[in-house]
Amino acid sequence: MDIIGERKVVFQPAGAEHGREIFLRVGRPQQRPDDGWEVQIDIMDPEKPWKLPPVWGTDGLGAVILGIFAISKYVEWYTMRGRLTLPEDGEAVFPEWALLLEASMPPAPAQGTAPAVDGEAEG
């Protein structure tokens, strides 16, 4: 698989003293014979072998986005059974869809200010 995205995380099952490293991978989109596109996603967990089918979409970008959403469901599976953290700083990992939703929300205006009305300059 030609990998276009990879993230290493540490999974610590609930009640366990030590965690284990897991790799989440998204492959390069490949065109299918039926004019669709597919992306292979892999979760490399030494203690939990996953057999994941390719994720497909109508174009390469769509397949990658659906692959990210598919990985988020597995991230959710892990977070329900323990803790996922980033190995660099121990920061907790959240499902990617939560991060996408957070990034798509506009920031709230500062308290005591009103947002500018269309055509009105901010001051």
Side-chain angles (χ1 to χ4, degrees), residues 55-80:
V55 177
W56 62 273
T58 56
D59 58 27
L61 179 59
V64 169
I65 291 170
L66 292 173
I68 291 170
F69 280 112
I71 283 180
S72 74
K73 296 309 284 179
Y74 292 95
V75 168
E76 190 174 5
W77 183 92
Y78 279 105
T79 57
M80 292 176 68

Side-chain angles (χ1 to χ4, degrees), residues 40-119:
Q40 182 64 46
I41 58 171
D42 286 327
I43 299 173
M44 309 304 290
D45 181 343
E47 294 185 25
K48 175 95 175 113
W50 296 98
K51 296 289 184 188
L52 307 175
V55 177
W56 62 273
T58 56
D59 58 27
L61 179 59
V64 169
I65 291 170
L66 292 173
I68 291 170
F69 280 112
I71 283 180
S72 74
K73 296 309 284 179
Y74 292 95
V75 168
E76 190 174 5
W77 183 92
Y78 279 105
T79 57
M80 292 176 68
R81 288 158 179 79
R83 185 167 185 233
L84 279 179
T85 57
L86 301 176
E88 302 87 33
D89 55 14
E91 184 178 336
V93 176
F94 299 100
E96 287 81 354
W97 56 264
L99 296 176
L100 290 171
L101 289 176
E102 183 178 306
S104 68
M105 296 180 70
Q111 191 167 356
T113 64
V117 178
D118 286 344

